[in-house]
Amino acid sequence: MRSLLRFPLKKTLLGFAVTGAVASAPVQAGEVEVLHWWTSGGEARAANVLKELMEAEGHTWKDFAVAGGGGETAMTVLKSRAMSGNPPSAAQIKGPEIQEWGELGLLGNLDDVAQAEDWDSLLPEVVANIMRHDGHYVAVPVNVHRVNWLWANPQALNKAGVEVPTSIDDMFEIADDLREVGVIPLAHGGQPWQDATVFETVVLAEAGPDFYRRALVELDPEALNSETMIDALTTFKRMRTLMDDGMSGRDWNIATSMVIGGQAAMQLMGDWAKGEFTAAGLTPGEDYICVPAPGTESAFTFNIDSLAMFKARDEEAQAAQDDLARLVLEPTFQEAFNLAKGSIPARSDLDMSAFDSCAQRSMADFKATSENGGLVPSMAHGMAVRASVQGAIFDVVTNFFNDPDMSPEAAAERLANAGSSLL
Ligand code: GAL
């Protein structure tokens, strides 16, 4: 059944060339319940690729989608399911959090699939490392997102007679012209993870990847509470002047739709935003512009989505999980999913010709920055520090952003405390 369905499905459903090896041993069909938070237009299209591939293998897909950008709500729901002894088969768990779940002894082992499919040589080391706990593969990467992007509407910029900004200063400089023609300079959603996304991008732009790493990855108190951080915090708070009053609580994809519709000119957001432009049928370079966030051209903030597997209850569940893990790294999935999601494949050996110019640039920059030191993990997206530290940093960042009376000096001091008290 599986071998009959595989090839025709790939051709008709996805329409892409199949270049990878296809495993042939028959497996028992089982159910996979997959927790994720891919509920926006572009994200849902991407998640559907996996559902259809799994169903074509004869498995039953039980969708466990928990809305909420950045996944905070999804993680809360996952914890309560796991605590009641009933975790799903797989969940979108990322970065250092994979280690936390591994330490609890709840994750299954994907070494057999990883060995059969040669993940060690398919995956860049920076990606493979995150997927292993205690030397064993426990998760499979679906993609690599770049967080430090600026999305812009060229018509909105033209209307004001301004160019795409190449520095954060430029962003402030073009703001008045945009406002004069009734365009909001920067679309934003006031939610902690979105505030943190803008914050880490400003830190990267103002202070560069080495400082970013010291402050937001190594949590060096001297970097967190430094003049450099105070300057970055000052600029970060000034970004509010580019945003509109309605931003509080707004979802990220609503902010993206403001750029698509021309009410706003720009958005600082990871390339899941591109999934929204793609779902709206728009073409980069014509209908919208993607450029690395101003001032961060030589850096790449990575955010790798991955599915971690919970220990399977029986053989069928195990077989379904193994199939899920194998499918995720196959070229068919990697291409179709990432075209819809806005990200690039997690493996770097794939032909990128079906991808748009933003993705091609992302792949080139990912490779270049992994050689030259510009590649840094996203703090805002759970790649840099454990969830408890990330939560403490989010609190400081959001409180500072929203409190007109909190000084950048006080925020820097609180950041240092947040970093060190929880280490
Ligand atoms: C990120 C996640 C992306 C995207 C985004 C918005 O943390 O890695 O896949 O879903 O949140 O929800």
Side-chain angles (χ1 to χ4, degrees):
M1 157 99 155
R2 180 168 149 222
S3 52
L4 280 180
L5 273 171
R6 271 186 89 77
F7 190 67
L9 175 99
K10 282 178 178 175
K11 284 206 88 170
T12 52
L13 173 78
L14 304 165
F16 302 116
V18 180
T19 51
V22 172
S24 54
V27 294
Q28 289 153 289
E31 181 186 90
V32 282
E33 185 182 20
V34 181
L35 175 133
H36 60 89
W37 59 91
W38 296 322
T39 55
S40 78
E43 290 173 328
R45 283 177 78 227
N48 208 39
V49 171
L50 190 53
K51 172 181 183 276
E52 292 191 349
L53 285 172
M54 282 301 281
E55 286 177 349
E57 299 265 327
H59 299 300
T60 309
W61 174 272
K62 199 166 161 199
D63 202 43
F64 188 179
V66 180
E72 208 182 323
T73 318
M75 284 302 109
T76 308
V77 174
L78 178 63
K79 275 170 202 152
S80 69
R81 273 283 298 270
M83 266 175 354
S84 61
N86 183 29
S89 330
Q92 141 95 326
I93 302 177
K94 307 188 300 180
E97 253 195 296
I98 295 175
Q99 302 309 317
E100 300 184 39
W101 287 95
E103 282 155 20
L104 292 173
L106 293 176
L107 300 184
N109 183 319
L110 295 173
D111 283 347
D112 286 350
V113 191
Q115 214 177 353
E117 305 288 318
D118 204 9
W119 290 6
D120 279 351
S121 49
L122 285 185
L123 296 176
E125 195 47 30
V126 65
V127 181
N129 255 338
I130 300 173
M131 304 302 139
R132 298 192 199 104
H133 169 67
D134 209 11
H136 303 286
Y137 279 102
V138 293
V140 59
V142 300
N143 63 8
V144 177
H145 272 302
R146 183 181 199 171
V147 180
N148 58 321
W149 281 115
L150 179 79
W151 308 93
N153 179 321
Q155 280 94 18
L157 295 175
N158 281 343
K159 199 168 154 194
V162 296
E163 305 279 325
V164 183
T166 55
S167 66
I168 300 232
D169 278 350
D170 269 1
M171 290 180 77
F172 293 120
E173 262 163 43
I174 64 174
D176 285 345
D177 291 337
L178 287 164
R179 290 230 188 255
E180 252 162 51
V181 293
V183 174
I184 299 160
L186 192 64
H188 182 66
Q191 297 175 348
W193 72 271
Q194 293 188 65
D195 297 343
T197 300
V198 174
F199 167 68
E200 72 176 22
T201 300
V202 170
V203 171
L204 191 62
E206 299 249 301
D210 289 341
F211 178 83
Y212 176 102
R213 209 173 283 113
R214 273 181 61 209
L216 299 180
V217 184
E218 293 157 15
L219 304 172
D220 175 352
E222 276 174 29
L224 286 167
N225 190 6
S226 63
E227 284 303 320
T228 309
M229 182 56 82
I230 291 169
D231 289 347
L233 283 160
T234 306
T235 306
F236 168 58
K237 197 150 186 176
R238 194 173 163 215
M239 301 298 276
R240 278 189 83 92
T241 62
L242 305 176
M243 300 168 181
D244 69 311
D245 292 340
M247 70 180 178
S248 175
R250 178 187 289 142
D251 287 329
W252 67 270
N253 52 320
I254 304 295
T256 308
S257 72
M258 290 164 65
V259 179
I260 292 176
Q263 297 98 306
M266 304 172 281
Q267 183 183 19
L268 283 168
M269 186 50 68
D271 42 22
W272 45 94
K274 200 184 72 189
E276 302 305 295
F277 288 100
T278 307
L282 304 179
T283 309
E286 290 171 25
D287 308 314
Y288 68 97
I289 293 166
C290 66
V291 284
T296 71
E297 292 74 12
S298 53
F300 188 116
T301 327
F302 70 83
N303 170 22
I304 300 165
D305 286 324
S306 48
L307 295 174
M309 306 289 165
F310 284 88
K311 276 185 179 149
R313 276 186 207 93
D314 53 40
E315 222 179 277
E316 276 155 40
Q318 178 72 56
Q321 273 185 347
D322 285 351
D323 256 8
L324 178 66
R326 179 180 49 74
L327 275 175
V328 161
L329 270 192
E330 281 186 3
T332 307
F333 171 82
Q334 286 285 322
E335 181 165 300
F337 179 88
N338 287 307
L339 281 172
K341 188 77 166 68
S343 34
I344 55 171
R347 45 192 280 188
S348 30
D349 62 330
L350 298 183
D351 175 11
M352 291 293 288
S353 57
F355 285 83
D356 61 32
S357 52
C358 310
Q360 287 176 2
R361 167 143 202 196
S362 186
M363 183 59 98
D365 288 356
F366 178 66
K367 288 181 180 168
T369 54
S370 43
E371 303 282 309
N372 67 21
L375 186 66
V376 290
S378 168
M379 180 280 296
H381 293 278
M383 290 288 122
V385 291
R386 291 192 168 212
S388 51
V389 181
Q390 186 203 37
I393 296 178
F394 277 19
D395 283 351
V396 179
V397 167
T398 285
N399 288 339
F400 169 66
F401 200 51
N402 289 304
D403 179 353
D405 296 328
M406 197 195 295
S407 68
E409 289 79 7
E413 204 177 315
R414 289 189 201 186
L415 276 181
N417 289 339
S420 56
S421 63
L422 291 154
L423 272 177

